[in-house]
Amino acid sequence: MKASIMRTIYWEDNAVKLIDQTLLPDRFEILTCRSVDELADAIKRLSVRGAPALEASGAYGIALACYEREFKDVDELKEHVKERAKLLSSTRPTAVNLFYGIERVLKVVLSSNDVEEAKKRALEEAEKIAEEDVRRNKLIGKYGAELLEDGDTVLTYCNTGRLATVDWGTALGVIRSAIEQGKRVRVIACETRPLNQGSRLTCWELMRDGIDVTLIADNMVGIVMQRRMVDKVIVGADRIVRDGVFNKIGTYTVAIVAKEHGVPFYVAAPLTTFDWERSVKDVVIEERNREELIYCHIKCKKSFIAPKDVKVFNPAFDATPLSYVTAFITERGVVYPPYEENVPKVLEGKS
Ligand code: MRU
């Protein structure tokens, strides 16, 4: 397996740098954000995306707020950072990790006594969050790999790999870890309409690592299960509440088909994706631009694939009831039902 592409998001020269995922697989380019405005735009456009990568984005975003201008004193810095935190929080509503990253670094800034201390500690905390992400993904990979057998074919949805995290990945991290252990694992990747995170990003990064991947359109999930071409499904999550798993729109359909065919459905996610105090009704599902559905692809606003004035409903996520989830794969191990008992036990001590 090839070494890491490099980190999906990182800090360099007082700026946040990220792989611009809107350009893949055509071009690999690093986007430099020197202001929180630029970073917030990048998040909204999905240049950086995936719940754990959004956690790091929120964290680095708060650090960037401390560096993007000069301050006469620490109070002025704190006011500015609080304002910027609001902007970052307004970018995307569903993945809870974004808010976790923002709040954790904001807390450090607000408890600092002078400008230099705030800058230093904010950056240290953001770097710590990024490191933690890589470490916990390796653990998710280690625990998840035990569920995979030599020769398995895993169906996955959206992109949950290096590109959705700081590095390694959650669901794709499990596959990487199993392969690293010497197991032969094949992947079926759903294209994940309308923004094609599966075909553009998952296929790109798996092929780059030499992992066997086959692309299907989202409406082919039924036939591949019916033909017994899938041994396990592993997906990621944007927010896990006490009665559902929010993940990329279409995940719920995959879960239903998996259950119908007796295929295990696993959700791989770090503990920061759990928002156990909340339930499905408390969470806002992001609704995105109609253009994502009416054009052949959002990058090419030339060929229409629908009448341009058609009414459009474009939710970015759906919630899969927990009864469809065979187990959660976390950095503290695999969690099986009953979730109302077992999830709180695993969450105890979460920072
Ligand atoms: O809209 P996106 O691309 O940010 O959605 C991403 C997903 O739904 C992922 O499956 C989820 O964030 C888990 S990533 C490890």
Side-chain angles (χ1 to χ4, degrees):
M1 203 184 300
K2 278 192 189 166
S4 179
I5 314 163
M6 66 162 57
R7 296 215 159 168
T8 294
I9 177 162
Y10 56 98
W11 180 271
E12 194 175 77
D13 299 333
N14 291 348
V16 177
K17 301 206 172 176
L18 48 97
I19 298 173
D20 188 344
Q21 300 185 34
T22 60
L23 305 176
L24 287 169
D26 298 337
R27 291 203 310 281
F28 180 93
E29 273 180 29
I30 300 298
L31 179 73
T32 300
C33 301
R34 298 206 177 276
S35 67
V36 175
D37 281 336
E38 285 169 347
L39 180 60
D41 271 354
I43 295 172
K44 283 191 215 156
R45 277 197 319 271
L46 271 54
S47 289
V48 60
R49 39 130 320 266
L54 289 175
E55 182 174 317
S57 306
Y60 279 128
I62 296 298
L64 189 58
C66 299
Y67 284 78
E68 66 181 347
R69 47 160 278 202
E70 300 291 317
F71 301 98
K72 71 174 183 327
D73 57 37
V74 76
D75 292 333
E76 191 184 66
L77 177 142
K78 287 180 186 175
E79 281 315 303
H80 175 73
V81 175
K82 279 197 270 181
E83 203 48 50
R84 302 281 81 188
K86 278 192 211 147
L87 173 67
L88 288 166
S89 301
S90 71
T91 51
R92 298 194 74 193
T94 311
V96 69
N97 304 61
L98 171 69
F99 305 100
Y100 175 84
I102 293 170
E103 278 153 28
R104 200 167 130 184
V105 183
L106 183 62
K107 203 166 145 197
V108 162
V109 170
L110 297 182
S111 66
S112 295
N113 296 313
D114 62 59
V115 171
E116 284 317 305
E117 183 195 336
K119 287 169 74 169
K120 181 169 174 291
R121 290 181 62 213
L123 183 54
E124 277 169 5
E125 193 70 6
E127 297 278 32
K128 201 167 147 202
I129 288 174
E131 291 305 325
E132 280 171 14
D133 182 54
V134 184
R135 265 204 313 276
R136 72 195 181 190
N137 291 339
K138 292 285 176 94
L139 287 169
I140 290 171
K142 176 178 140 218
Y143 292 120
E146 287 164 21
L147 301 168
L148 297 186
E149 281 165 41
D150 188 30
D152 270 355
T153 297
V154 176
L155 183 139
T156 191
Y157 201 76
C158 196
N159 173 265
T160 59
R162 298 190 195 281
L163 292 167
T165 59
V166 176
D167 200 356
W168 200 247
T170 56
L172 295 192
V174 169
I175 292 162
R176 284 198 167 92
S177 297
I179 291 173
E180 210 175 49
Q181 288 173 6
K183 291 177 184 162
R184 283 162 299 176
V185 177
R186 282 194 293 256
V187 179
I188 294 182
C190 301
E191 65 178 347
T192 318
R193 282 277 294 147
L195 292 181
N196 293 74
Q197 288 92 331
S199 54
R200 292 188 304 108
L201 308 176
T202 295
C203 292
W204 179 81
E205 66 161 271
L206 291 184
M207 287 173 74
R208 204 186 162 281
D209 277 359
I211 296 173
D212 184 331
V213 57
T214 302
L215 172 66
I216 60 167
D218 301 335
N219 52 8
M220 296 169 192
V221 170
I223 193 170
V224 294
M225 301 258 191
Q226 208 169 39
R227 290 192 180 180
R228 299 268 146 225
M229 290 163 70
V230 179
D231 298 295
K232 276 131 201 169
V233 174
I234 314 182
V235 298
D238 289 87
R239 190 188 294 237
I240 300 166
V241 296
R242 58 176 185 262
D243 52 354
V245 174
F246 287 88
N247 193 48
K248 180 53 54 196
I249 188 74
T251 303
Y252 178 35
T253 319
V254 175
I256 293 171
V257 182
K259 191 165 194 170
E260 172 67 21
H261 292 278
V263 175
F265 180 89
Y266 296 108
V267 176
L271 297 179
T272 52
T273 303
F274 285 78
D275 189 12
W276 207 242
E277 303 299 303
R278 291 205 168 79
S279 63
V280 168
K281 64 173 178 19
D282 304 323
V283 178
V284 176
I285 293 187
E286 177 183 7
E287 281 194 35
R288 294 188 61 87
N289 199 310
R290 64 193 308 283
E291 295 185 339
E292 292 178 356
L293 279 181
I294 62 170
Y295 289 111
C296 178
H297 194 273
I298 190 71
K299 281 199 280 186
C300 147
K301 293 189 188 170
K302 284 190 196 114
S303 8
F304 284 102
I305 49 166
K308 83 171 183 303
D309 301 323
V310 70
K311 277 194 281 180
V312 165
F313 174 51
N314 185 18
F317 302 95
D318 57 27
T320 299
L322 300 191
S323 54
Y324 289 88
V325 179
T326 307
F328 291 108
I329 308 167
T330 76
E331 66 269 41
R332 293 213 185 127
V334 178
V335 187
Y336 291 95
Y339 296 126
E340 64 281 11
E341 253 175 58
N342 294 340
V343 169
K345 278 190 214 151
V346 167
L347 289 177
E348 253 167 56
K350 171 182 141 189
S351 64

